[in-house]
Amino acid sequence: MPAAKVTDLTGPERSTAWGIGGTDLGAPTLTPDGRLLLVFGDTFDQFRAGGSGWRAPTALFADPDTSTRGLRWTGAAPGADGSSTRAGQLVPQPHHTRIRGFPISTQLPSDVVRLGDVLYLQVMGCEGLGTVHFTELYHSLDNGRHWSSTGCWWPGDHWNGWFQNLSWCPGDDGYLYCVSTGFKRDKGLMLSRVRVDELTDPHAWQPWGWTPSGGWAWGEPPGIVLPGAFGEQSLRRIDGHWVLSLFDAGHYRIDVRLLPSPTADMTTAPVTTIAQGTAWGQEDHTQGQIAQLYGGYILPGSTLADVHLVISQWNTGPANTPYKSMQFHVDLTTVHVTASSERRQ
């Protein structure tokens, strides 16, 4: 069942009032003061990838009452830049600098989550668009306006490079559950968890893996819970179900899986393709046919009958435009969730 476009979220007449012309991604969460926050990736003044005003990550605030009608922006996070109107860079380091001895060209967000009165953001320290040298956790104590490092970070090759691009969601048991993969879109998914009160302890995270005696357990070397070649993910709970949106780079599409629990067998879970990549000139955004698509972040306020997602598009041709984030929606009520067993070899 294809997703249908609601509106463009960034670009001319959408985000330029806050200094955002071209940008992508848009990982969302609700802030403690009740606003909707979306965190974007590489951001530029013009409606393209490249040019003046390069900063990342950036963030915009929206009215949550508009989350299912087409987001209405209400402000920007100044971040380290300090501007009251222009979307600033959330991390303090400039582009093309050395951090922890590594040459870092940009720092890109994976996902953001609210835990109590604190927002947490994971970023990837990237050299170009191919090498992640480290990942790091930032937090905000003022509803997403300003961010600082928690001091928690991992080398890029942590867990064999499968803990770079991630998405997370808290459960009812005191744990935050996380799906992750590599940045290059050439790996499958792994699963990990951490107690919420130990989130910023890099040694407290537990991978989900296959035991020597057979079966899956926490604390084992990380296993592949879903083989493939994946990019951006979004793990959220909707109407009592765990919902995973996933950019399947290997098949050039965005799929959504419905799970009864994070440890359910993702290889047999109900899955539907909501957006399919296509060539330029063959698009139909009313039927989820999108050229050079990626992303797929689930917006707060979604129900299974009306799931709203942020999907990115970047024409990597010579003009590097359009380069934007868009809002789509889809009805998933016909996808039947079953009590999938935990994955077995």
Side-chain angles (χ1 to χ4, degrees):
M1 61 191 70
K5 186 175 179 178
V6 177
T7 186
D8 284 338
L9 293 177
T10 62
E13 300 181 358
R14 294 294 297 146
S15 58
T16 49
W18 291 275
I20 293 180
T23 194
D24 68 347
L25 306 180
T29 193
L30 286 172
T31 64
D33 65 359
R35 292 177 294 172
L36 189 59
L37 175 77
L38 269 69
V39 180
F40 297 97
D42 283 324
T43 301
F44 304 90
D45 290 341
Q46 304 301 314
F47 185 44
R48 64 188 300 271
S52 63
W54 183 22
R55 64 253 194 230
T58 61
L60 291 175
F61 297 104
D63 179 353
D65 291 337
T66 66
S67 63
T68 58
R69 303 195 306 270
L71 291 182
R72 182 176 63 84
W73 302 123
T74 60
D81 296 8
S83 171
S84 60
T85 57
R86 178 179 170 85
Q89 181 168 287
L90 303 187
V91 300
Q93 299 90 349
H95 292 286
H96 293 303
T97 189
R98 297 191 74 86
I99 306 175
R100 300 189 176 93
F102 297 113
I104 301 299
S105 56
T106 189
Q107 297 187 74
L108 300 177
S110 282
D111 204 0
V112 61
V113 66
R114 172 189 170 186
L115 298 175
D117 291 331
V118 183
L119 299 177
Y120 292 92
L121 171 68
Q122 187 261 21
V123 300
M124 298 174 283
C126 302
E127 181 181 358
L129 288 178
T131 301
V132 175
H133 287 300
F134 63 84
T135 62
E136 186 168 3
L137 291 185
Y138 278 73
H139 66 175
S140 173
L141 307 179
D142 63 356
N143 298 289
R145 286 180 52 78
H146 301 93
W147 298 78
S148 60
S149 175
T150 65
C152 177
W153 69 282
W154 296 267
D157 61 358
H158 183 60
W159 288 338
N160 299 317
W162 292 67
F163 193 66
Q164 295 178 358
N165 198 349
L166 60 76
S167 182
W168 47 25
C169 183
D172 294 327
D173 55 359
Y175 283 93
L176 182 75
Y177 291 89
C178 174
V179 287
S180 61
T181 187
F183 182 75
K184 293 183 178 181
R185 298 173 175 166
D186 60 356
K187 292 180 172 62
L189 288 190
M190 65 161 286
L191 176 69
S192 59
R193 71 175 187 178
V194 65
R195 290 198 60 84
V196 168
D197 57 3
E198 296 178 323
L199 174 66
T200 59
D201 179 356
H203 305 292
W205 290 68
Q206 303 172 325
W208 179 246
W210 190 256
T211 69
S213 59
W216 288 77
W218 295 110
E220 297 295 327
I224 302 172
V225 296
L226 187 64
F230 301 118
E232 294 76 26
Q233 314 119 73
S234 187
L235 179 66
R236 298 293 188 263
R237 298 178 73 185
I238 303 176
D239 296 344
H241 301 297
W242 291 79
V243 182
L244 175 63
S245 172
L246 184 61
F247 175 48
D248 186 337
H251 294 97
Y252 195 26
R253 68 193 188 203
I254 295 174
D255 291 338
V256 173
R257 285 173 170 78
L258 270 61
L259 308 166
S261 74
T263 57
D265 187 348
M266 294 189 188
T267 66
T268 61
V271 58
T272 184
T273 297
I274 64 165
Q276 180 66 57
T278 188
W280 292 99
Q282 299 180 8
E283 292 190 283
D284 184 351
H285 288 188
T286 67
Q287 295 295 317
Q289 300 289 316
I290 310 167
Q292 292 196 253
L293 80 171
Y294 55 104
Y297 301 98
I298 299 170
L299 285 173
S302 292
T303 64
L304 284 186
D306 194 23
V307 178
H308 285 253
L309 307 102
V310 182
I311 296 177
S312 293
Q313 181 180 55
W314 176 11
N315 186 339
T316 55
N320 266 318
T321 186
Y323 173 62
K324 62 183 177 180
S325 294
M326 305 169 288
Q327 182 173 345
F328 283 73
H329 75 115
V330 65
D331 181 356
L332 295 180
T333 53
T334 60
V335 181
H336 299 290
V337 183
T338 58
S340 303
S341 61
E342 294 174 355
R343 184 177 182 271
R344 294 289 183 266
Q345 284 185 337

